[in-house]
Amino acid sequence: QEAKPQYRMMLMVVGEENVGKTTLVRSIVNHWDFSATTVSVRSNQRTGDTVSTDGVDITKCKFKYDFGKLAGKTSREQVNMVDTTIWDFAGQEVYYATHQFFLSTKALYIVVFNVTTNIRESRVDFWLHSINSKVAEATVFIVGTHVDKLTERQKSQLPITLEEESRRLKALFPSMKLNLVPVNELRDFHESLKSAIAKQPQMGTMFPNSYLMFEQLLLQEGRSYYPPIISWERMCEMANVCSITEEAEILRAIETLHNLGIL
């Protein structure tokens, strides 16, 4: 069946509450060339094109990337728009047990911690263990915030501390691609994040048109419900409309959309 190349990525942002996850997401969206819609579901409210679900804020944004850079050349034909869905998970401990349901094997992860607190007390190891149990070879950015709250002496010691922690964490999780970043280097972080997304193997994957039609139907259906939850029977009905009739194929379509952050 007919298919189209897709340049999409799911970012998952985790960390304790009040460490600056939402502020970091906002800085990412503001830095990238094309910010699209932000979805926020809080207290049964819908703001613009932002959808909020209990415990998770979902932001959709876009940026342009020249994929010719990856081949060591620049070509106008290689410039593509990358659609990114950012899942900002609530940091309250009550939600920790549910996060595992949403972790995706195709996502890129950002773990946020407060540098004024010892990294081992900031549950960074906990988040990495959670991600590692789902995606052993995940790409993870570990971002330290609240650098402005440090004394000048602490700031001077920060690179040494982060380097020591980086070595420790890489020894604990040797298969993961870990990047430890202090928030005062956000300019470099934004560009590194773009590059890491562009290098993900699913960039440019061909998607059947039936999957894309199924996605649109699901998004339209989701706008009719709060919370946006539908039954398996209703989902199968919509899949059938898109000529996705076999149960195994429906499950593949659902997994594909989940890995993109759509479901």
Side-chain angles (χ1 to χ4, degrees):
Q1 56 179 305
E2 294 186 11
K4 296 179 181 178
Q6 297 295 304
Y7 294 86
R8 304 198 199 182
M9 193 68 208
M10 182 180 186
L11 295 182
M12 308 197 81
V13 184
V14 296
E16 291 189 302
E17 61 180 320
N18 298 322
V19 293
K21 296 188 299 297
T22 301
T23 300
L24 181 65
V25 169
R26 194 176 300 123
S27 79
I28 292 171
V29 174
N30 290 339
H31 178 82
W32 286 352
D33 302 323
F34 294 85
S35 60
T37 58
T38 299
V39 183
S40 207
V41 186
R42 294 181 184 275
S43 304
N44 292 342
Q45 294 179 357
R46 179 185 296 269
T47 306
D49 293 313
T50 299
V51 176
S52 292
T53 55
D54 289 342
V56 185
D57 284 344
I58 304 171
T59 300
K60 297 182 179 181
C61 57
K62 303 180 181 183
F63 66 87
K64 275 184 178 179
Y65 194 85
D66 182 2
F67 286 83
K69 294 177 182 178
L70 301 181
K73 61 182 180 179
T74 301
S75 171
R76 185 180 293 259
E77 289 72 31
Q78 299 257 359
V79 175
N80 289 284
M81 192 76 77
V82 179
D83 290 281
T84 308
T85 304
I86 307 175
W87 287 52
D88 175 7
F89 286 87
Q92 297 91 334
E93 191 167 357
V94 67
Y95 291 113
Y96 287 3
T98 63
H99 289 167
Q100 282 288 338
F101 292 111
F102 299 98
L103 299 185
S104 166
T105 57
K106 302 293 185 182
L108 191 149
Y109 292 86
I110 302 175
V111 178
V112 185
F113 74 100
N114 186 334
V115 296
T116 65
T117 304
N118 186 294
I119 194 171
R120 303 189 193 196
E121 299 173 0
S122 300
R123 292 184 178 263
V124 170
D125 290 37
F126 166 82
W127 295 114
L128 293 179
H129 276 294
S130 295
I131 296 167
N132 188 61
S133 67
K134 184 81 172 183
V135 197
E137 298 182 353
T139 298
V140 184
F141 285 86
I142 305 170
V143 181
T145 61
H146 295 78
V147 175
D148 58 314
K149 303 297 183 183
L150 298 175
T151 65
E152 290 304 316
R153 184 164 182 253
Q154 288 172 324
K155 287 180 183 178
S156 66
Q157 291 294 315
L158 185 60
I160 299 172
T161 302
L162 294 182
E163 180 60 32
E164 291 174 350
E165 286 300 326
S166 179
R167 287 197 298 268
R168 180 183 71 84
L169 292 171
K170 287 178 179 179
L172 277 176
F173 306 97
S175 64
M176 299 177 82
K177 303 175 185 68
L178 302 180
N179 306 273
L180 200 54
V181 183
V183 80
N184 59 339
E185 296 179 8
L186 275 185
R187 182 183 296 271
D188 292 338
F189 163 69
H190 290 138
E191 294 305 314
S192 296
L193 186 58
K194 277 186 179 181
S195 179
I197 291 173
K199 291 176 181 176
Q200 296 303 303
Q202 64 264 37
M203 286 294 109
T205 298
M206 300 298 289
F207 272 48
N209 286 349
S210 58
Y211 283 25
L212 299 176
M213 184 187 301
F214 186 37
E215 173 192 358
Q216 292 306 312
L217 286 181
L218 287 171
L219 291 174
Q220 183 177 349
E221 187 84 357
R223 296 187 188 102
S224 304
Y225 296 90
Y226 187 90
I229 298 173
I230 61 174
S231 68
W232 169 253
E233 290 76 16
R234 178 57 181 151
M235 185 170 287
C236 289
E237 288 176 7
M238 288 188 287
N240 292 339
V241 170
C242 303
S243 301
I244 306 172
T245 56
E246 299 293 329
E247 182 172 334
E249 185 64 21
I250 294 173
L251 290 172
R252 275 194 293 274
I254 290 171
E255 181 181 13
T256 298
L257 296 178
H258 166 67
N259 286 332
L260 292 175
I262 305 302
L263 295 178

